[in-house]
Amino acid sequence: MLPDLRSVLSPEALKLLTKHGLLDSLIERMLVSDITNMVTLTEETQKAAINNFLRQQNAPSAEALNELISSSGLSEEAFYEQLFRPARMAQLAKEEFGAKAEARFLSQKGRLDRVVYSLLRLSSQSQAQELYLRIAHGEANFSDLAGRYSQGMERNTNGVIGPVPLNQAHPTLSEKLRAARPGMLLEPFRIDRWWVVTRLERFAPASFDERMAEQMSMELLQEWLKEETGRHLQALSTQTDAGSASS
């Protein structure tokens, strides 16, 4: 249960936090602390978190942990609260949103599927057709032509784009890539003011495995946190306005 911020912060402090866009961050951090403190980790999970932290710090042994705690400037309790927070968040996400993870995956699959493709972007239809035929007949290499002629940023990578989420591309391009087979060279087509020649190199459809389930559950938890933060902000704003009106 979050404390009433008006009882712990002065009106001036609240105004300052609001002015600099920090009040929502403070509320979200308080919410995270509140919900994670209710999660109990197994001894095995705690040891794994500690060992992972020691590896990240290039600490030679567990004995170095006390030195790291001292140098952190935190109390031992606060140090371990921060250290175990990611594991507690992951466990909470699984417990509270794991049942909804697959449904979210299916609804978000467009941004999770990833592709690698080659792209030539040209302002001239006739040039696009000419270069397409040269590639199709084996007279030129796609990457060489893209590096020389493409008029977009992809010329810096010899036309190769990805791996990127499939829905990151223009909807027309995304639709054509989804229908293509790896290695398929597509005839020139128009997108806005450009004529595009593209070839699908590799398609990596996302699959719902344990790692994906964890990602989807965490995203749902993060969305819930944002909603709760917004609700607390709105309630605080309403209470502050009411207080100002009555004074």
Side-chain angles (χ1 to χ4, degrees), residues 117-123 127-128 130-132 135 141-152 154-155 158-161 185 188-189 194-199:
Y117 59 97
S118 295
L119 184 73
L120 259 166
R121 187 170 7 186
L122 303 156
S123 56
Q127 187 181 31
E130 176 193 347
L131 298 183
Y132 162 76
I135 297 169
N141 183 280
F142 199 124
S143 61
D144 292 340
L145 294 182
R148 182 175 179 183
Y149 294 107
S150 192
Q151 296 173 351
E154 63 279 348
R155 75 179 297 167
N158 291 327
V160 178
I161 297 177
L185 179 69
F189 56 93
W194 301 108
W195 284 92
V196 170
V197 181
T198 189
R199 181 176 66 200

Side-chain angles (χ1 to χ4, degrees), residues 60-215:
S61 66
E63 286 71 29
L65 187 59
N66 289 332
E67 296 180 14
L68 291 169
I69 294 175
S70 298
S71 62
S72 71
L74 299 171
S75 67
E76 186 172 343
E77 181 182 0
F79 178 87
Y80 280 111
E81 181 183 346
Q82 287 193 14
L83 179 60
F84 294 146
R85 184 172 295 163
R88 284 176 171 151
M89 287 282 285
Q91 183 169 315
L92 184 66
K94 183 177 181 179
E95 292 173 353
E96 296 296 325
F97 298 103
K100 300 178 181 179
E102 187 169 9
R104 179 179 179 82
F105 166 75
L106 294 173
S107 69
Q108 299 289 314
K109 199 170 184 302
R111 71 174 174 86
L112 299 170
D113 290 338
R114 305 182 80 80
V115 292
V116 177
Y117 59 97
S118 295
L119 184 73
L120 259 166
R121 187 170 7 186
L122 303 156
S123 56
S124 165
Q125 180 183 10
S126 60
Q127 187 181 31
Q129 186 66 29
E130 176 193 347
L131 298 183
Y132 162 76
L133 291 173
R134 289 177 63 185
I135 297 169
H137 294 155
E139 298 173 0
N141 183 280
F142 199 124
S143 61
D144 292 340
L145 294 182
R148 182 175 179 183
Y149 294 107
S150 192
Q151 296 173 351
M153 292 293 293
E154 63 279 348
R155 75 179 297 167
N156 298 325
T157 57
N158 291 327
V160 178
I161 297 177
V164 293
L166 181 58
N167 71 346
Q168 185 172 301
H170 186 281
T172 300
L173 176 58
S174 177
E175 180 181 351
K176 289 183 177 293
L177 289 172
R178 187 178 289 279
R181 298 185 306 276
M184 180 182 289
L185 179 69
L186 303 182
E187 291 192 28
F189 56 93
R190 189 161 191 168
I191 295 180
D192 299 329
R193 65 187 182 92
W194 301 108
W195 284 92
V196 170
V197 181
T198 189
R199 181 176 66 200
L200 177 63
E201 306 295 351
R202 187 168 74 252
F203 178 61
S207 59
F208 187 71
D209 52 17
E210 184 177 353
R211 184 174 180 180
M212 184 61 70
E214 291 173 355
Q215 179 183 332

